[in-house]
Amino acid sequence: MMRLVLFAALFALGSRAVPFELDELTKYIDSHTEEYVQTLREWVEVESDSSDVLKRSDLARMMDMTAEKLKAMGGTVELVDIGLQDLPSGETIPLPKVVAAQFGSDPTKHTVCVYGHVDVQPAKKEDGWATDPYNLTDINGNLYGRGASDNKAPVLAWIHTVEAYQALDMDLPVNVKFIIEGMEETGSNGLDAMIVSKNDTFFADVDYIIISDCGWLSRRPAITYGTRGNCYFFAEVEGPKQDLHSGVYGGTVI
Ligand SMILES: *[C@@H]1O[C@H](CO)[C@@H](O)[C@H](O)[C@H]1NC(C)=O
Ligand SMILES: *[C@@H]1O[C@H](CO)[C@@H](O)[C@H](O)[C@H]1NC(C)=O
Ligand SMILES: [Zn+2]
């Protein structure tokens, strides 16, 4: 499955790659599968559950790991502070920082920005998992783990694609940017404001956005080329402070 994800990423980037280059790249990917799976295992082990405020330090560690990986590859990386989250109790806690990274700034090339997230939904063995959700497990060639397909492996596939080009000393056909967040599963708090604030800087030269967090077709990763977006509405209903019997206070006796 990992190989398929990497191929999907590779073909999106490789429109200018000649067959020889693709051949070299796919050979490189095939011979590094174990490393890719090991990295995914380390990422899945981090309980980066954005819905559980008690796991916020795990989530911060996940963002740091993501940034470190991109830095180690020579990317220009920023961990963007997006402020605080208001909790229903009235307390506030820090939102996980957003990773903004860049590889290449050649003005003659297009710039592709990959979006992904490394937070996950809650998962407990008792919820009905056949395996420990935070221990990536290979069953008949399929890898099971919380966040493996949504969205840690797709994020890693893009990162490893850039890494494969670098390792083979091949010129990337496009400039590549990354926006990787840690609040997607709970509504992407803070992301909109961050995007708007970087409209004239980080996003100014971005030609294409790849949202690598969509459906897979027939268990295969897919490159989605259009989304309809979401529309949210909040309805607030106010009522009396205590129960009022319908036949006595307003309402109708039936
Ligand atoms: C993960 O599961 C394997 C067996 O599938 C086990 O050998 C290993 O100790 C587990 N790792 C952790 C960190 O629980
Ligand atoms: C972002 O910048 C583009 C031009 O690069 C402009 O058309 C657009 O209105 C800007 N959007 C916001 C929200 O500032
Ligand atoms: Zn997702």
Side-chain angles (χ1 to χ4, degrees):
M1 197 54 82
M2 192 57 151
R3 188 173 191 262
L4 284 170
V5 182
L6 277 161
F7 276 147
L10 201 59
F11 286 123
L13 272 194
S15 59
R16 277 171 34 170
V18 292
F20 167 75
E21 283 185 340
L22 281 181
D23 195 44
E24 289 294 293
L25 285 160
T26 51
K27 266 192 217 148
Y28 182 88
I29 289 167
D30 277 348
S31 61
H32 289 78
T33 307
E34 278 182 27
E35 285 168 42
Y36 300 145
V37 172
Q38 179 54 29
T39 308
L40 180 60
R41 178 168 291 116
E42 289 162 15
W43 281 30
V44 166
E45 272 170 19
V46 183
E47 300 191 25
S48 50
D49 174 354
S50 55
S51 70
D52 184 347
V53 295
L54 300 176
K55 301 256 172 74
R56 200 45 66 88
S57 60
D58 296 273
L59 189 49
R61 185 156 61 92
M62 190 67 241
M63 303 323 296
D64 286 343
M65 281 167 70
T66 307
E68 286 310 316
K69 170 119 186 124
L70 293 162
K71 268 187 212 157
M73 289 161 58
T76 307
V77 184
E78 188 192 354
L79 271 165
V80 186
D81 189 340
I82 54 166
L84 300 170
Q85 181 181 4
D86 295 317
L87 301 179
S89 62
E91 289 168 281
T92 56
I93 51 165
L95 285 164
K97 295 189 169 76
V98 173
V99 178
Q102 174 166 7
F103 292 87
S105 56
D106 182 341
T108 66
K109 292 177 181 171
H110 286 303
T111 299
V112 171
C113 179
V114 178
Y115 163 86
H117 67 89
V118 287
D119 60 316
V120 299
Q121 297 238 354
K124 291 200 188 89
K125 187 91 196 291
E126 310 86 88
D127 294 342
W129 281 71
T131 56
D132 172 359
Y134 293 105
N135 183 352
L136 190 74
T137 308
D138 184 334
I139 300 174
N140 300 325
N142 292 318
L143 298 172
Y144 295 87
R146 174 49 101 208
S149 62
D150 181 7
N151 185 227
K152 289 176 176 177
V155 168
L156 278 171
W158 286 105
I159 294 174
H160 286 143
T161 301
V162 172
E163 202 176 62
Y165 272 85
Q166 290 180 333
L168 295 171
D169 213 8
M170 278 182 196
D171 198 26
L172 278 168
V174 289
N175 303 314
V176 181
K177 290 188 172 184
F178 288 95
I179 284 289
I180 301 168
E181 66 153 328
M183 285 301 283
E184 195 275 344
E185 300 292 7
T186 49
S188 294
N189 316 38
L191 188 69
D192 296 20
M194 189 230 88
I195 291 170
V196 171
S197 77
K198 288 196 175 293
N199 188 49
D200 299 325
T201 52
F202 185 87
F203 291 103
D205 64 349
V206 170
D207 300 295
Y208 303 100
I209 300 272
I210 295 179
I211 300 178
S212 209
D213 187 30
C214 301
W216 290 24
L217 297 174
S218 314
R219 300 162 63 86
R220 285 171 190 236
I223 294 185
T224 304
Y225 54 84
T227 58
R228 279 175 293 188
N230 288 326
C231 201
Y232 290 94
F233 298 93
F234 292 93
E236 204 170 293
V237 180
E238 274 183 36
K241 288 193 171 46
Q242 72 273 356
D243 284 349
L244 298 168
H245 194 281
S246 61
V248 179
Y249 187 94
T252 318
V253 183
I254 299 172

